[in-house]
């Protein structure tokens, strides 16, 4: 294996002279070292690059499967082997003219199911804010809007009073990339909004633009809640209700899950969520 190890050392130097980061080089190097260790045991007579065949590379990948290596790990190992032999083939004095890993099928890691929030948890959370105070009604609107529209917390914080149409039960949202979209919401959310708007009108900012107002002004004198403030509301409410911590994005996950489970088309959910790639809907749909 000394000759193959020499090629490995040369390849590492080539990587170091290029763009890959230190960690990437470490992963690639470790991958090839593991391959060469396996090769020295499984094919003792192989000492030159020209002796390595595609069957040997595929045999190593099967060995990784037998070791119960994750799809993501096997994919990285396969990429490293392919890149290594790409370099060797590119050197005219290597004696190797065809990359034995060129036809290697790389596994595609499966996205884990996105966690959704059970109905009983949501019910307990909402019941914990049944009061008629400004904070109770505002926090109820935050939770119901996140659940009923799938808004990102930054999008919710950016909603203005004029963006909300209580008659037609829809809200105009400014999403990523400056793209606008119109989202429907249900009767319970509309009712929560009406109750909130009544107590909101009595506060210092009155009919000011932001829908969601903090209980105190920020450093610039404004009253708009920040995205971080939306997250803090959920954290505080979970603690008060005796629940484990929930992240605002989990409510977005739950919204998408419920729509898909109810039979909504993937393209419709993708449009409502403001996603630009179908990869997200596949990930959310894994649950």
């Amino acid at each position: 294996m000394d000759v193959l190890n020499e090629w490995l050392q040369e390849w590492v130097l080539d990587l170091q002279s290029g763009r890959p980061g230190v960690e990437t080089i470490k992963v690639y190097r470790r991958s090839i070292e593991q391959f060469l260790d396996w090769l020295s045991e499984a094919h003792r007579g192989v000492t030159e690059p020209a002796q390595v065949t595609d069957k040997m590379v595929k045999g190593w990948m099967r060995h990784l499967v037998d070791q119960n290596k994750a799809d993501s790990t096997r994919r990285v190992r396969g990429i490293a082997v392919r890149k290594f032999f790409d370099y060797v083939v590119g050197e005219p004095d290597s004696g190797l003219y065809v990359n034995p890993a060129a036809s290697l099928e790389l596994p595609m890691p499966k996205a884990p199911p996105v966690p959704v929030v059970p109905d009983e948890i949501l019910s307990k959370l909402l019941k914990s804010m049944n009061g008629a105070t400004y904070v109770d009604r505002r926090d109820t609107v935050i939770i119901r809007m996140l659940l009923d529209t799938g808004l990102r917390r930054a999008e919710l914080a950016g909603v203005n009073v004029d963006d909300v149409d209580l008659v037609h039960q829809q809200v105009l949202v400014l999403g990523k990339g400056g793209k606008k979209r119109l989202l429907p919401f249900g009767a319970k959310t509309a009712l929560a909004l009406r109750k909130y708007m009544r107590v909101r009108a009595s506060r210092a900012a009155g009919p000011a633009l932001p829908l969601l107002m903090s209980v105190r002004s920020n450093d610039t004198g404004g009253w708009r809640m920040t995205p971080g403030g939306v997250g803090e509301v959920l954290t505080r409410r979970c603690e008060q209700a005796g629940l484990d911590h929930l992240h605002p994005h989990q409510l977005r996950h739950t919204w998408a899950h419920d729509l898909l489970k109810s039979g909504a088309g993937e393209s419709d959910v993708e449009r409502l969520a403001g996603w630009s790639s179908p990869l997200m809907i596949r990930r959310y749909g894994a649950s």
Side-chain angles (χ1 to χ4, degrees):
M1 287 293 147
D2 287 345
V3 175
L4 285 168
N5 276 311
E6 285 297 324
W7 280 107
L8 170 58
Q9 304 308 318
E10 183 174 320
W11 179 56
V12 169
L13 289 174
D14 182 71
L15 290 175
Q16 290 172 344
S17 66
R19 292 184 177 181
V22 175
E23 289 304 316
T24 299
I25 294 174
K26 284 183 180 178
V27 170
Y28 283 174
R29 179 171 191 155
R30 185 164 60 249
S31 297
I32 303 307
E33 286 174 343
Q34 291 175 1
F35 170 66
L36 295 183
D37 286 344
W38 172 85
L39 196 63
S40 67
E41 292 294 327
H43 301 277
R44 295 179 180 275
V46 175
T47 59
E48 301 280 345
Q51 295 175 287
V52 180
T53 66
D54 61 339
K55 289 184 179 180
M56 294 176 185
V57 176
K58 291 174 182 176
W60 182 57
M61 295 298 284
R62 286 194 297 272
H63 168 72
L64 295 179
V65 172
D66 293 340
Q67 288 191 317
N68 294 318
K69 297 297 184 182
D71 288 347
S72 56
T73 299
R74 289 186 286 116
R75 182 176 179 83
V76 171
R77 298 291 183 264
I79 289 173
V81 170
R82 183 179 290 173
K83 288 181 177 291
F84 169 63
F85 283 114
D86 267 343
Y87 174 79
V88 176
V89 168
E91 294 299 308
D93 57 343
S94 69
L96 184 67
Y97 304 107
V98 177
N99 186 339
S103 62
L104 194 63
E105 293 185 6
L106 301 176
M108 182 61 69
K110 299 178 181 65
V114 174
V116 297
V117 186
D119 288 347
E120 57 270 23
I121 298 297
L122 296 175
S123 179
K124 188 174 182 179
L125 178 63
L126 287 166
K127 285 180 180 178
S128 72
M129 52 188 84
N130 274 341
T133 68
Y134 170 77
V135 172
D136 283 332
R137 292 190 170 178
R138 183 204 63 190
D139 293 358
T140 298
V141 163
I142 288 174
I143 303 304
R144 287 204 174 277
M145 286 287 280
L146 291 172
L147 274 172
D148 214 6
T149 64
L151 285 172
R152 302 175 177 94
R153 62 179 180 174
E155 292 173 339
L156 179 56
V159 171
N160 294 325
V161 172
D162 291 342
D163 295 329
V164 180
D165 183 346
L166 289 173
V167 175
H168 298 95
Q169 295 178 202
Q170 55 191 13
V171 58
L172 182 64
V173 179
L174 182 64
K176 290 183 176 180
K179 297 179 180 178
K180 293 184 178 181
R181 63 188 193 279
L182 198 61
L183 299 173
F185 52 80
K188 290 183 178 180
T189 300
L191 181 60
L193 278 163
R194 285 184 180 275
K195 291 182 177 181
Y196 165 66
M197 293 298 283
R198 283 206 306 272
V199 296
R200 181 193 176 283
S202 65
R203 298 193 65 80
L209 283 178
L211 173 67
L212 299 177
M213 292 166 31
S214 179
V215 294
R216 64 182 66 86
S217 62
N218 55 37
D219 294 339
T220 62
W223 292 84
R224 183 187 297 276
M225 284 194 72
T226 64
V230 172
E232 289 170 5
V233 164
L234 189 52
T235 298
R236 172 170 49 81
R237 287 298 184 174
C238 285
E239 290 177 354
Q240 292 173 351
L243 300 172
D244 291 336
H245 173 72
L246 294 175
H247 189 278
H249 223 61
Q250 283 179 265
L251 302 187
R252 179 169 163 87
H253 295 172
T254 303
W255 165 82
H257 167 87
D258 288 346
L259 281 180
L260 291 169
K261 188 177 179 181
S262 299
E266 290 189 355
S267 60
D268 292 329
V269 178
E270 185 179 321
R271 174 179 54 81
L272 291 171
W275 291 320
S276 57
S277 167
L279 293 177
M280 291 303 296
I281 192 66
R282 292 171 193 162
R283 179 168 178 260
Y284 279 62
S287 62

